[in-house]
Amino acid sequence: MGTQSISIKVNGAEQTGEVEARLLLVHFIREDLGLTGTHIGCDTSHCGACTVILDGKAVKSCTVFAVQAAGKEVQTIEGMTTNGELHPLQEGFMEEHGLQCGFCTPGMIMSSKALLQENSNPTEEEIRIGISGNLCRCTGYVNIVKAVQYAAAKI
Amino acid sequence: MIPGPFEYHRPGTLDEAVALLASLGDDAKIISGGHSLIPMMKLRLAEPAHLVDISGLDGLDYIRESDGYLTIGALTCEAAVDRSDLIHSKYPIISDTAHVIADPLVRNLATIGGNLAHGDPANDHPATMLALGAEVVVSGPNGSRTIGIDDFFLGPLTTALGADEILTEIRIPTPPANSGGAYIKFERKVGDFAIAAVAATVTLDADGNCVKAGIGLTNVGPTPVRAKAAEEALTGNPLTDDNIATAGRLASEASQPISDHRGSEEYKRAIVEVLTKRALYKAKSRAEGGS
């Protein structure tokens, strides 16, 4: 069981690595690339803290092997700002107090970004369904929904 | 949690994938969305020496209707099934099912083929496919063959698929006019497996009698369960409250739940009875043109 070379475009930049097939995408992102904004929560595909956008779709990076993402495009929370300017979602989470401990926030933002890409004007119910794969244990979700609504209004 | 080591293969064609499986034998597992397999590998409940990744194969991602069948390519992700207008308008029981599988993030990668081929009685599509009388097409070294859904699930995580076969398509007979179906799942929280779930389909004649019924049960037995006695009790009869209640009782008797952290055996049997009735009322309403 050797290693293999992979190349994944992460936040617009081509990243290469020599990885074991069993390396999970979240570990490649955090440990090989040092992008620790993507969190590991449950490690069992439930909590969504590890959510990234893979070829346009929000996915749980703890349940994807890095080799499966080879040749694809990944966006993480670090790729959300443009020239130092916060994305409307990041701004929304700040303005609407959409986080307390902040652990779920990167995943929430990536899920919400994919949601808004598909549906720029979601209803509250659609937002709640859209983030139903992301668990927050602090906020009760009310302000997270407001944060997404803030961003939807602004985008 | 780190899965055990394995060799990763990414065949370019279906034939290559089948040939790889034939040469690797039982040491290999097929991966596409990976949302059943990877969690099992992390827990070391599965430690395949080889993974054959079929997610990149062309031509296995489609939803279409032809020659009296709805056909769905095995690599179609649950999100696509959930969003399909064709499925939503003509096969709403399948929309019901896809919509309650895990959560939207999982549905972006998890495939309908994997949901069936994994052979997990807790998965949602199997019961629905039982109720719909579906069949699956599989490809192996000697070409393809079609397996009726009643012959597909053999035991927990065990199907009629050979080690060198790949499930490629699901075929669902287009139901006649005045048919309806519904899938109702009872879960502790979003993303969990069902405590129990019931898929029900009915076809009515001009007088409102049920001429055909299908009832499948999720997570209440070693395989997905067909509630045959309940189906037979409905066939040829009107869907009255009494007959639906009888079907609920018979479905509950057909279920074989075990007590676990999701509930006692007795509780699950009661849930099956209630869900069967609810699914039948909803199926009836849809057969009559309602939602």
Side-chain angles (χ1 to χ4, degrees):
Chain A
M1 312 284 165
T3 57
Q4 59 193 95
S5 309
I6 57 165
S7 176
I8 304 174
K9 198 176 211 179
V10 180
N11 300 328
E14 209 63 55
Q15 302 283 358
T16 54
E18 192 66 27
V19 302
E20 266 192 276
R22 62 173 164 169
L23 184 75
L24 295 161
L25 179 59
V26 69
H27 292 137
F28 179 71
I29 291 169
R30 286 177 56 84
E31 288 157 27
D32 292 30
L33 305 183
L35 298 173
T36 53
T38 302
H39 292 163
I40 299 175
C42 69
D43 206 7
T44 57
S45 331
H46 288 99
C47 80
C50 64
T51 304
V52 300
I53 296 180
L54 176 65
D55 275 359
K57 294 179 187 175
V59 305
K60 295 178 173 178
S61 62
C62 77
T63 313
V64 178
F65 289 117
V67 288
Q68 292 181 288
K72 297 187 176 171
E73 207 165 317
V74 171
Q75 192 184 15
T76 70
I77 187 71
E78 288 87 349
M80 287 295 283
T81 52
T82 321
N83 302 325
E85 291 242 331
L86 292 182
H87 185 278
L89 272 164
Q90 293 172 305
E91 207 182 291
F93 273 75
M94 207 169 72
E95 292 298 325
E96 299 293 344
H97 201 66
L99 61 137
Q100 287 176 34
C101 86
F103 197 83
C104 71
T105 313
M108 282 288 178
I109 288 181
M110 300 321 285
S111 274
S112 304
K113 175 153 195 259
L115 170 70
L116 293 181
Q117 264 163 4
E118 266 172 41
N119 180 354
S120 57
N121 189 22
T123 62
E124 179 180 338
E125 198 194 343
E126 286 166 341
I127 294 171
R128 286 183 179 273
I129 292 172
I131 60 169
S132 61
N134 297 82
L135 301 183
C136 171
R137 300 292 79 168
C138 302
T139 65
Y141 302 97
V142 172
N143 288 352
I144 292 176
V145 172
K146 283 189 196 161
V148 179
Q149 286 168 329
Y150 174 100
K154 208 166 167 185
I155 289 174
Chain B
M1 293 177 289
I2 311 292
F6 60 88
E7 202 147 323
Y8 178 73
H9 307 267
R10 206 170 180 172
T13 65
L14 185 60
D15 286 348
E16 268 177 54
V18 168
L20 257 174
L21 291 172
S23 69
L24 298 170
D26 285 339
D27 286 343
K29 288 289 279 180
I30 299 166
I31 188 167
S32 54
H35 275 58
S36 295
L37 183 58
I38 295 176
M40 285 181 70
M41 289 174 67
K42 286 180 169 187
L43 295 168
R44 309 279 175 127
L45 294 171
E47 292 189 78
H50 299 270
L51 281 190
V52 177
D53 187 350
I54 61 168
S55 63
L57 298 183
D58 287 332
L60 292 176
D61 175 4
Y62 55 85
I63 299 169
R64 52 183 175 242
E65 212 178 18
S66 62
D67 300 330
Y69 283 90
L70 171 73
T71 55
I72 306 176
L75 294 184
T76 307
C77 72
E78 301 292 0
V81 175
D82 183 24
R83 278 196 294 256
S84 159
D85 289 336
L86 170 63
I87 288 179
H88 196 257
S89 62
K90 289 190 68 176
Y91 305 85
I93 184 177
I94 303 177
S95 298
D96 292 349
T97 310
H99 195 66
V100 294
I101 291 172
D103 61 58
L105 308 177
V106 171
R107 293 199 289 272
N108 276 337
L109 286 179
T111 64
I112 188 168
N115 195 277
L116 294 166
H118 191 53
D120 190 339
N123 278 357
D124 294 291
H125 283 298
T128 293
M129 295 305 160
L130 281 173
L132 286 166
E135 53 197 36
V136 297
V137 182
V138 307
S139 280
N142 302 317
S144 70
R145 65 184 178 119
T146 301
I147 308 172
I149 203 72
D150 284 302
D151 300 321
F152 188 68
F153 302 107
L154 304 181
L157 306 182
T158 308
T159 69
L161 274 171
D164 53 2
E165 287 183 314
I166 298 175
L167 194 160
T168 56
E169 184 179 88
I170 298 106
R171 294 166 60 79
I172 295 128
T174 301
N178 306 315
S179 297
Y183 184 71
I184 300 185
K185 177 177 181 175
F186 198 60
E187 59 187 354
R188 297 178 303 174
K189 63 175 195 64
V190 166
D192 194 17
F193 289 118
I195 296 168
V198 177
T201 58
V202 296
T203 300
L204 308 178
D205 68 11
D207 301 322
N209 290 315
C210 175
V211 291
K212 196 171 180 221
I215 298 175
L217 314 177
T218 299
N219 212 8
V220 286
T223 62
V225 176
R226 176 184 288 288
K228 219 170 202 163
E231 294 172 350
E232 283 164 6
L234 294 171
T235 308
N237 293 312
L239 294 177
T240 58
D241 291 345
D242 278 353
N243 288 339
I244 287 176
T246 301
R249 189 174 47 76
L250 292 171
S252 173
E253 284 171 15
S255 68
Q256 309 152 40
I258 51 166
S259 298
D260 62 13
H261 58 292
R262 291 192 179 83
S264 66
E265 179 190 335
E266 189 187 10
Y267 172 70
K268 291 181 186 180
R269 281 190 193 279
I271 293 289
V272 169
E273 181 166 353
V274 171
L275 294 187
T276 301
K277 289 192 278 186
R278 287 185 192 167
L280 281 168
Y281 279 114
K282 197 162 180 185
K284 175 175 181 267
S285 159
R286 284 175 170 169
E288 291 164 345
S291 58

